C-alpha cells in the first residue's frame, strides 16, 4: 500500500468523481485547436486555476503531448502558502486524484538532491493546488504509466531557480521525460491592463531568457505567480537541448465569467527542441 497524498481540491477546483472528471478534462482537450507545432516537445507551460476557469487554456498545452509516453514527468509549481523552505516536495509516496494514483519517483528525488546544494523539504498533506491541478490532465493524455517528480518552488530568487534547473537537467538527461511548469499570469487587473502585462510576460517566456522573466517581475512589466518555476524549467529544458517556446493559447478568467473588471491571466505554451 502506497502512502497517498490526499487531494484537498477534488470536488471543488475540479470534478470530484472519476467519471465526471474524465469527461470534463476530455471535453477541454477535444475543444483545443492547436496551431502547427514543429519540433520535439520537452516541456509545457500551463495555468493552474480551477478547471472551469483555466482548463480550456491548459488543455492546449496538454493536447500537444498526447503522442508522448514519458516514463517520468517533472511538475514544477509555485508554493502559495507559508513555508520557510525555498524548495519543497511531497513526503508521500504518491499523489491521489479521482482518476487514480501517480507514484512519486523517489530515486529521482534522491538524485536531484544529490546534484543540488539547496535542500528540498519533504512535507506531508500540503494544500498546494498549483501542482495537483495539472495531474488529471496528465492522467488523461498520457496513456502509459508514468512516475512523478513533484517540485514546489517557494522562493522567487533567480539564483535558486537557475541552480534547480541545471540540477534537474542532470537528473532528466537520457531519460524519457516531460517537464510541466505551472503558472498563472497577472492577477486582479482589468481585462485591458491584464492583456498588456500578460503579453509582455508571454514575450519573456517566448524569448527563452529566464533572467528576463525575473526582470519583468522586478520592474512591474509583467507578472506570473509561478515565474520562478517557469524559469527553472527553461534552464533545465535548455540544458536538455530545447531552443524554442511556442505560445499556444491566452485567455483570462473574464473570458469565462464575463466579468472583465478584475481578471486572472492564463497562458499555455510548449517548449520545443527544433
Amino acid at each position: 500500500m502506497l502512502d497517498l497524498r490526499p487531494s484537498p481540491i477534488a470536488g471543488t477546483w475540479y470534478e470530484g468523481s472519476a467519471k465526471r472528471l474524465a469527461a470534463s478534462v476530455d471535453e477541454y482537450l477535444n475543444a483545443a485547436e492547436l496551431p502547427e507545432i514543429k519540433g520535439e516537445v520537452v516541456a509545457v507551460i500551463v495555468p493552474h486555476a480551477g478547471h472551469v476557469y483555466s482548463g480550456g487554456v491548459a488543455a492546449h498545452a496538454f493536447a500537444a503531448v498526447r503522442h508522448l509516453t514519458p516514463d517520468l514527468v517533472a511538475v514544477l509549481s509555485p508554493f502559495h502558502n507559508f513555508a520557510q523552505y525555498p524548495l519543497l516536495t511531497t513526503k508521500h509516496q504518491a499523489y491521489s486524484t479521482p482518476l487514480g494514483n501517480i507514484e512519486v519517483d523517489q530515486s529521482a528525488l534522491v538524485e536531484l538532491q544529490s546534484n543540488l546544494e539547496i535542500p528540498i523539504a519533504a512535507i506531508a498533506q500540503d494544500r498546494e493546488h498549483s501542482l495537483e491541478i495539472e495531474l488529471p490532465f496528465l492522467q488523461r493524455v498520457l496513456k502509459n504509466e508514468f512516475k512523478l517528480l513533484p517540485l514546489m518552488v517557494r522562493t522567487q530568487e533567480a539564483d535558486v531557480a537557475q541552480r534547480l534547473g541545471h540540477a534537474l537537467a542532470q537528473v532528466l538527461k537520457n531519460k524519457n521525460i516531460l517537464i510541466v511548469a505551472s503558472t498563472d499570469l497577472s492577477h486582479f487587473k482589468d481585462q485591458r491592463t491584464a492583456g498588456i502585462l500578460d503579453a509582455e510576460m508571454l514575450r519573456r517566456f517566448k524569448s527563452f531568457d529566464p533572467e528576463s522573466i525575473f526582470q519583468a517581475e522586478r520592474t512591474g512589466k509583467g507578472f506570473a505567480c509561478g515565474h520562478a518555476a517557469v524559469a527553472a524549467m527553461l534552464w533545465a529544458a535548455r540544458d536538455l537541448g530545447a531552443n524554442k517556446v511556442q505560445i499556444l493559447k491566452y485567455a483570462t478568467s473574464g473570458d469565462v465569467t464575463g466579468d472583465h473588471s478584475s481578471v486572472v491571466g492564463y497562458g499555455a505554451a510548449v517548449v520545443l527542441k527544433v
Side-chain angles (χ1 to χ4, degrees):
M1 293 288 290
L2 291 172
D3 171 27
L4 298 178
R5 174 195 176 274
S7 169
I9 62 173
T12 52
W13 289 66
Y14 58 74
E15 293 285 357
S17 80
K19 184 177 180 180
R20 290 198 305 271
L21 179 57
S24 68
V25 169
D26 288 353
E27 185 175 355
Y28 291 128
L29 292 166
N30 293 334
E33 297 182 2
L34 297 181
E36 184 178 12
I37 298 171
K38 294 183 178 180
E40 175 188 341
V41 179
V42 175
V44 296
I45 301 171
V46 286
H48 57 233
H51 282 186
V52 68
Y53 299 108
S54 68
V57 175
H60 284 73
F62 286 115
V65 301
R66 274 177 156 158
H67 62 290
L68 299 183
T69 55
D71 300 314
L72 177 61
V73 179
V75 182
L76 282 66
S77 77
F79 189 75
H80 289 88
N81 301 296
F82 172 77
Q84 60 186 358
Y85 316 106
L87 301 173
L88 304 101
T89 190
T90 185
K91 187 178 283 188
H92 301 284
Q93 295 174 308
Y95 275 72
S96 176
T97 82
L99 299 179
N101 304 326
I102 309 175
E103 187 175 350
V104 174
D105 191 327
Q106 301 295 337
S107 63
L109 274 173
V110 170
E111 185 180 355
L112 177 61
Q113 185 63 87
S114 70
N115 282 282
L116 187 65
E117 295 177 355
I118 306 164
I120 304 172
I123 58 173
Q125 297 187 11
D126 71 275
R127 300 193 61 80
E128 183 54 51
H129 65 275
S130 62
L131 195 151
E132 181 195 335
I133 200 76
E134 317 302 357
L135 301 184
F137 276 100
L138 290 168
Q139 288 173 303
R140 293 304 293 171
V141 296
L142 302 180
K143 302 308 180 186
N144 62 304
E145 190 171 328
F146 62 93
K147 288 189 176 182
L148 190 68
L149 179 55
L151 297 165
M152 293 168 278
V153 184
R154 183 198 60 80
T155 187
Q156 303 295 299
E157 298 171 17
D159 176 62
V160 173
Q162 184 174 21
R163 286 194 279 171
L164 173 60
H166 292 320
L168 182 61
Q170 287 298 309
V171 174
L172 300 183
K173 68 179 181 179
N174 301 321
K175 292 184 173 72
N176 182 19
I177 62 94
L178 174 68
I179 312 174
V180 177
S182 173
T183 190
D184 291 340
L185 300 173
S186 65
H187 283 58
F188 311 130
K189 309 293 184 182
D190 65 85
Q191 183 89 349
R192 179 180 175 278
T193 302
I196 295 169
L197 294 169
D198 297 344
E200 180 60 24
M201 185 56 82
L202 291 173
R203 188 185 71 79
R204 304 290 177 113
F205 291 173
K206 190 175 180 180
S207 74
F208 220 124
D209 179 5
E211 286 282 4
S212 75
I213 295 172
F214 291 94
Q215 194 272 342
E217 282 275 342
R218 287 193 301 269
T219 59
K221 294 180 178 178
F223 301 98
C225 55
H227 67 276
V230 172
M233 176 277 293
L234 289 176
W235 269 305
R238 189 161 62 189
D239 286 355
L240 294 169
N243 54 8
K244 179 182 178 181
V245 175
Q246 182 176 352
I247 308 301
L248 301 178
K249 181 69 175 178
Y250 169 73
T252 73
S253 59
D255 296 323
V256 175
T257 66
D259 178 2
H260 296 116
S261 63
S262 180
V263 305
V264 179
Y266 311 124
V270 284
V271 184
L272 304 166
K273 185 188 297 185
V274 180

